[in-house]
Amino acid sequence: MTGASSGIGHAAALAFAAAGDRLVLAARARPGLDKVAAQCRAAGAEVLVVTADVTRPGSLDAVADAAAGGFGGIDVWVHTAAVMVYGRLEDVPAEIFDRVVETDLLGSAAVARTALPRFRAQGHGVLVFGGSLLGTIAAPYMSAYIASKWGLRALVRVLRLETRDAPGIHVCLVAPGAVNTPVYRNAANFAGRIGRPPPPVDPPEKVARAILRCAERPRATVNVGAAGTFVRLGFTLFPRLYDTLVGPLMRRGGLSREPVAPTPGNVLAPLPPSGHSLHGPWKPRRVLRAGTVLGAAAVTVLAVRGLARGRTGR
């Protein structure tokens, strides 16, 4: 499991541990991994820990070798490692933009390049990627992350086509909307305000349960979060209205009022242990109510606009 030291990866590790699975946990930062490993062992799981960086593909071989040597092979590889940057494209340093793409997209390809040959050799395996609602829509101030997640969705689709000759191999994508994890505060930031998950916000445990179900009964794509359906519909069916609304909504719901000086966040290097945790500081239940109202309002606007156009066209 790559990206296991915090957020969704942390929650997924706990979910697999509770299910009785044996785990190899990997991420860049050893202190965060050791904390997660201790929690998984307390749940009764056998756990190995490997420090690995997906931007250094050779380190992924160590993850695979640990699984093969310790447990005899890899049945499921869950990949949730990702970094993020906020800011307009022209304000984001090229080094930061490129590293986000390298981590989130090229790192995913490196994981697939490591896992799939081993799956073929043993005749089976499930590869689960952590995607995002932002892999199907667009929003301002997150160009590197969104480009990467769009690319990941395409990569996963291609990998499914290329493994059709191997019925025992499954490539899956679990795509949540906003999740209460530290990724937003840990992100690189050149937008002037700290990012936050726009409502409605799901807990990482909800996404972890979806990942576990996908590993047990593989599905091509699993979307997590009901609001995502409405957002995708608006993006697809009403692009002009969507483009008008998404900027103000992003500035109001996706950026906090807390100012921040330009920072590389955790993009170039891991943050101290305080930056690794299961949850972010947001309260999903309260934000969920606000998001439900916001989503309902947006759907109403879209529906009224659609009806008005229909009448005009008759």
Side-chain angles (χ1 to χ4, degrees):
M1 181 177 298
T2 36
S5 61
S6 66
I8 293 172
H10 184 163
L14 295 177
F16 279 93
D21 293 307
R22 298 179 294 180
L23 305 173
V24 177
L25 305 181
R28 295 179 297 174
R30 183 69 188 231
L33 283 174
D34 287 338
K35 176 183 175 181
V36 178
Q39 294 173 342
C40 292
R41 291 186 182 114
E46 295 181 60
V47 184
L48 298 176
V49 174
V50 180
T51 302
D53 185 339
V54 298
T55 65
R56 299 174 182 175
S59 69
L60 296 173
D61 289 328
V63 179
D65 292 343
F71 303 134
I74 310 169
D75 295 317
V76 178
W77 189 316
V78 175
H79 176 62
T80 61
V83 293
M84 185 184 294
V85 58
Y86 288 95
R88 293 180 303 183
L89 175 65
E90 68 250 42
D91 297 330
V92 175
E95 179 186 22
I96 300 296
F97 184 100
D98 292 353
R99 182 63 67 87
V100 171
V101 174
E102 184 181 10
T103 301
D104 297 0
L105 178 56
L106 301 186
S108 298
V111 166
R113 196 177 294 115
T114 304
L116 291 178
R118 290 166 171 80
F119 288 173
R120 286 190 182 275
Q122 65 191 20
H124 70 276
V126 181
L127 180 54
V128 183
F129 287 103
S132 173
L133 169 64
L134 292 174
T136 54
I137 65 169
Y141 316 120
M142 302 183 72
S143 56
Y145 184 80
I146 291 174
S148 299
K149 291 302 183 181
W150 276 71
L152 175 60
R153 182 164 58 97
L155 174 65
V156 169
R157 182 63 182 271
V158 171
L159 294 178
R160 291 194 202 112
L161 297 176
E162 293 180 350
T163 54
R164 285 177 63 86
D165 63 327
I169 297 176
H170 304 275
V171 182
C172 311
L173 185 70
V174 175
V179 185
N180 183 29
T181 75
V183 68
Y184 309 92
R185 295 191 69 89
N186 291 347
N189 199 305
F190 301 89
R193 291 190 285 162
I194 289 178
R196 66 182 180 186
V201 181
D202 284 319
E205 291 87 351
K206 180 176 180 179
V207 186
R209 290 191 295 270
I211 290 173
L212 181 60
R213 289 194 300 269
C214 199
E216 294 172 340
R217 297 181 180 83
R219 292 173 54 190
T221 300
V222 177
N223 295 309
V224 180
T229 301
F230 297 111
V231 177
R232 282 188 292 270
L233 283 173
F235 178 77
T236 303
L237 300 179
F238 305 98
R240 292 179 63 185
L241 181 57
Y242 176 93
D243 289 354
T244 299
L245 294 175
V246 69
L249 290 176
M250 179 64 184
R251 288 188 289 274
R252 184 175 181 83
L255 294 173
S256 72
R257 296 181 180 180
E258 186 177 353
V260 61
T263 173
N266 69 343
V267 170
L268 301 179
L271 293 176
S274 59
H276 299 272
S277 61
L278 173 57
H279 299 104
W282 299 276
K283 297 179 179 179
R285 291 183 180 178
R286 292 182 181 178
V287 180
L288 179 60
R289 294 192 191 103
T292 301
V293 173
L294 182 62
V299 171
T300 301
V301 170
L302 292 172
V304 170
R305 183 67 174 266
L307 289 172
R309 285 183 176 177
R311 288 171 182 161
T312 302
R314 287 177 183 172

